[in-house]
Amino acid sequence: MIRSTFCEASHRRVWISCLIGALSAIVLIRLHPNHIDGILVDMGWAFNAARDLWEGRDPYRHEPSMMLVPYPLTAAIVIFPWAFFPGIWGLVLLFGIGSACLAYILIRDNQYWRLIVFVSPAYFMALKSIQWSPFFMLALFLPVFAPVLLAKPTIAFPVALSIKWTPIRLIMTTLIGIIPFILIPDWFWRWIDQSRHYGGFIPILSWFGPIFLVSIFFYRNYKTRFFFLMSMTPQHLFFYDQLLLWVIPKTRQQMLILTVSSWIGFLYILMNFETLWVNEVYLLTTTYLPAFFIVLWQEPAVHKRFHAIFMILLNKHDRFAFDRTKE
């Protein structure tokens, strides 16, 4: 009976994960129906760079622009086998399978509320912009995928410092990091030169920085440490880099608070501005600040303080009511 129930739950998780992967792939096709040659940003850049390497072309021959953001050559090595699928299909399959794997690992303990991450503005923008952040979240839960962190070292920083590094993982990641230097020895300096106009921000250096520094006092909590590392990481303004913050909630209520708050900020920007470039303050207020309060709320010491304050206020109220009764 127990074995039957376990198998049924396992099959349910598999079907749900496959459904999420398929839906992600379908949405990606609808958003980007054209040939991958027309997608030169983010993961699309890596696919084209992998094909350039195979054909003997220079991946950094293009002039960088807002629609052509160069990535480290390691990104092309990470997805190299998928680049041989025709057109956009390699990208669609990789993103769909990655999303399915992420869904399965999120609900491995039957906490289906974690799937809320797939309706967050961060995942929506990651899908729309074909971003790496869902794969970094997957690597956080399954460190066997650690080599993927080389695709985007900036936002990979908090994940790299949070996972357990075994000798095999170190060797695999090192090998993938060495291959680009064998192919194009000066690629790193060319990439640095082309990406010097990076338009991101670092949360700890914003007006909210002094507030976020409070998280240092609770460094023993894994999720508080992760939040602090995220606040120190250079990231973009378009919500997708912040997808990693969705690993912080421990309950359905916390996940809903973070998701709804983030959607409020995202929709407000869409309705009032013509671009997402203005969104640093909104992103910090509606995404980072709720995540910060969530990690604080998870601290037992904070709970005790709030309870003590509540009891003091309650006693004062009772005393006031008693005095009014005597009058």
Side-chain angles (χ1 to χ4, degrees):
M1 180 66 179
I2 295 176
R3 183 180 179 87
S4 176
T5 303
F6 175 80
C7 291
E8 182 181 346
S10 180
H11 290 158
R12 187 187 305 117
R13 291 195 296 271
V14 170
W15 281 110
I16 291 174
S17 302
C18 290
L19 177 61
I20 289 175
L23 288 175
S24 299
I26 291 170
V27 172
L28 187 58
I29 293 173
R30 296 290 296 176
L31 291 174
H32 301 282
N34 300 321
H35 194 271
I36 194 171
D37 288 341
I39 305 172
L40 292 176
V41 294
D42 305 310
M43 289 183 70
W45 184 95
F47 269 75
N48 283 285
R51 292 171 179 176
D52 284 340
L53 289 175
W54 181 255
E55 297 292 337
R57 297 188 295 263
D58 179 12
Y60 294 99
R61 69 188 184 278
H62 305 285
E63 191 69 25
S65 65
M66 284 295 299
M67 292 305 296
L68 179 55
V69 182
Y71 270 68
L73 196 58
T74 45
I77 305 303
V78 167
I79 53 83
F80 196 82
W82 297 90
F84 294 100
F85 284 89
I88 198 175
W89 286 105
L91 187 59
V92 170
L93 287 171
L94 179 59
F95 213 98
I97 293 172
S99 296
C101 291
L102 178 59
Y104 186 82
I105 202 68
L106 286 174
I107 59 175
R108 65 192 184 282
D109 52 1
N110 291 324
Q111 293 185 322
Y112 293 96
W113 57 266
R114 294 186 184 277
L115 295 177
I116 295 173
V117 69
F118 291 102
V119 294
S120 68
Y123 181 79
F124 170 75
M125 288 302 295
L127 187 60
K128 183 178 184 298
S129 304
I130 320 177
Q131 278 291 332
W132 293 93
S133 49
F135 296 91
F136 287 3
M137 182 181 283
L138 181 60
L140 186 63
F141 291 111
L142 289 178
V144 68
F145 293 108
V148 77
L149 301 178
L150 293 175
K152 194 174 182 180
T154 49
I155 199 64
F157 169 73
V159 179
L161 293 182
S162 301
I163 63 176
K164 182 179 180 180
W165 288 93
T166 63
I168 295 296
R169 292 166 191 164
L170 281 171
I171 291 171
M172 291 299 297
T173 304
T174 302
L175 286 175
I176 291 178
I178 290 174
I179 291 173
F181 289 99
I182 297 174
L183 299 174
I184 304 178
D186 65 338
W187 76 265
F188 182 80
W189 305 112
R190 295 176 64 190
W191 169 62
I192 290 293
D193 182 62
Q194 289 190 3
S195 59
R196 65 183 183 275
H197 299 300
Y198 177 78
F201 75 108
I202 301 177
I204 204 73
L205 299 181
S206 68
W207 288 101
F208 292 88
I211 300 176
F212 297 155
L213 282 172
V214 174
S215 58
I216 295 177
F217 298 106
F218 305 102
Y219 69 93
R220 288 188 177 87
N221 185 323
Y222 166 78
K223 295 199 173 185
T224 308
R225 287 200 309 274
F226 187 77
F227 173 84
F228 179 69
L229 291 173
M230 279 291 293
S231 70
M232 294 176 59
T233 302
Q235 49 204 272
H236 228 309
L237 297 166
F238 298 122
F239 282 83
Y240 45 67
D241 281 345
Q242 292 72 40
L243 179 67
L244 290 170
L245 291 176
W246 267 257
V247 306
I248 290 175
K250 289 184 176 180
T251 66
R252 180 188 296 105
Q253 291 77 12
Q254 292 174 2
M255 183 72 87
L256 284 171
I257 288 171
L258 181 59
T259 303
V260 172
S261 175
S262 189
W263 269 117
I264 290 172
F266 183 77
L267 293 175
Y268 179 82
I269 296 167
L270 286 183
M271 292 187 294
N272 291 276
F273 300 96
E274 296 180 357
T275 175
L276 288 173
W277 281 108
V278 302
N279 76 338
E280 180 176 342
V281 64
Y282 303 104
L283 183 61
L284 287 165
T285 304
T286 63
T287 302
Y288 260 94
L289 204 57
F292 171 72
F293 287 134
I294 287 171
V295 295
L296 283 189
W297 188 252
Q298 293 172 357
E299 294 293 335
V302 175
H303 267 290
K304 290 179 181 178
R305 291 295 179 89
F306 271 104
H307 179 72
I309 293 172
F310 176 76
M311 293 304 296
I312 291 172
L313 293 175
L314 183 62
N315 290 335
K316 285 185 176 180
H317 177 269
D318 291 344
R319 187 178 304 169
F320 176 76
F322 178 74
D323 292 341
R324 291 291 300 270
T325 304
K326 289 177 62 178
E327 292 178 0

